[in-house]
Amino acid sequence: MIEKILDIPTRDGAMETFICYPERGGPYPPVLFLMDAPGIREELHDMARRLATVGYYVMLPNLYYRAGTDTKYGPDVLKHGSEEHARMRSVRTKMTIPPVMDDVAAMIAFADARKESKKGPVGTHGYCMSGPYSLAAAARFPDRIAAAASFYGTWLVSDAVESPHLTLGKAKGELYISCAEHDELAPPDMVKELKALFDRSGAKGELEIQPTVHHGFAFPQRWCYDKPAAERHWERLIALYRRNLG
């Protein structure tokens, strides 16, 4: 495997991005792996590596780069009341969809210029706070994003600008939305409303509820990690990309 950490130029600065892909047989279809709220960490690097091994040019950006270089957090980041949690929340609460769409455009342009990355359809998937970003990207860039997935995406129905529930029908690519049965950040009533909107939108794809599990179930180092659901997440994601990216 080839691994690099590169700065991708964006409208607002330099976005540090972990990139990995197989050392033989390229070029590979590009995939944008959008982080969850706790931010970039080795756990996400390992997930990017796993996806890259099956034949993708995986890009994992630090979406908090606008707040500076001190935007990686320690193990207490999920502990409410901790200093790390407060530091993360001070950045997370300023995040909105439109600037991230600028970042998506920058990543696509960067990938197009790399010989290791195959020009053509692009995939994107996001976890937690980035579930909405992934789906919004499919609507914003319908001629490039051929597959988009959201795993326990938070507040997929909201009053945010470009909230994905408003733009599902603009996507041309296949969408996959995976929700946990137990999730305060995507409560059952919201998921029910989203499912109705999804069905009416004419969007290609599916919304699937993972029974018995909690928000964060796919992360191996999270308290709520559920191996069967996590492996199902990999099966669904890789199949989605195989169908649409090759």
Side-chain angles (χ1 to χ4, degrees):
M1 295 294 295
I2 306 298
E3 297 182 8
K4 301 177 181 180
I5 296 179
L6 301 174
D7 285 336
I8 293 179
T10 74
R11 180 178 296 180
D12 295 320
M15 180 169 62
E16 182 182 287
T17 303
F18 177 80
I19 297 173
C20 59
Y21 52 92
E23 63 179 311
R24 296 180 177 179
Y28 298 100
V31 165
L32 315 182
F33 174 178
L34 306 181
M35 69 192 202
D36 61 330
I40 298 299
R41 57 196 184 277
E42 192 62 16
E43 181 180 37
L44 298 191
H45 287 174
D46 283 342
M47 294 173 73
R49 293 177 181 117
R50 176 167 176 175
L51 183 57
T53 62
V54 298
Y56 295 102
Y57 182 86
V58 181
M59 307 170 71
L60 171 64
N62 182 356
L63 296 176
Y64 290 157
Y65 73 96
R66 290 177 178 85
T69 57
D70 188 23
T71 50
K72 295 177 184 176
Y73 307 102
D76 287 344
V77 65
L78 290 174
K79 184 178 179 181
H80 288 255
S82 72
E83 182 178 342
E84 290 295 84
H85 183 262
R87 282 207 310 126
M88 178 273 287
R89 289 294 297 170
S90 70
V91 178
R92 164 69 184 100
T93 53
K94 296 179 178 66
M95 295 289 291
T96 59
I97 293 174
V100 178
M101 296 303 97
D102 292 339
D103 298 338
V104 169
M107 285 188 282
I108 293 173
F110 181 89
D112 283 348
R114 310 296 292 191
K115 69 180 187 301
E116 304 89 357
S117 175
K118 189 175 183 180
K119 295 175 179 59
V122 177
T124 177
H125 62 290
Y127 300 83
C128 179
M129 75 166 186
S130 287
Y133 303 154
S134 180
L135 298 177
R140 176 76 84 91
F141 307 101
D143 295 324
R144 291 305 304 273
I145 303 294
S150 165
F151 294 96
Y152 34 88
T154 58
W155 306 114
L156 295 169
V157 178
S158 76
D159 60 1
V161 175
E162 293 188 70
S163 174
H165 80 285
L166 300 173
T167 61
L168 291 166
K170 295 182 179 180
K172 296 180 182 177
E174 183 178 353
L175 308 181
Y176 175 70
I177 303 172
S178 178
C179 300
E181 181 179 357
H182 305 292
D183 192 342
E184 293 180 357
L185 303 176
D189 288 347
M190 189 212 76
V191 175
K192 183 178 180 180
E193 180 181 358
L194 181 64
K195 179 66 166 63
L197 292 168
F198 188 94
D199 291 344
R200 290 201 299 267
S201 73
K204 177 183 178 184
E206 69 170 313
L207 185 156
E208 183 174 29
I209 298 173
Q210 306 301 327
T212 74
V213 299
H214 295 258
H215 181 94
F217 64 80
F219 293 136
Q221 296 178 21
R222 194 71 61 84
W223 70 269
C224 54
Y225 174 67
D226 184 274
K227 187 171 183 179
E231 291 303 308
R232 185 181 305 116
H233 133 273
W234 284 115
E235 183 275 326
R236 299 289 196 265
L237 181 62
I238 292 170
L240 174 74
Y241 286 156
R242 286 277 188 256
R243 287 193 298 272
N244 296 284
L245 308 182

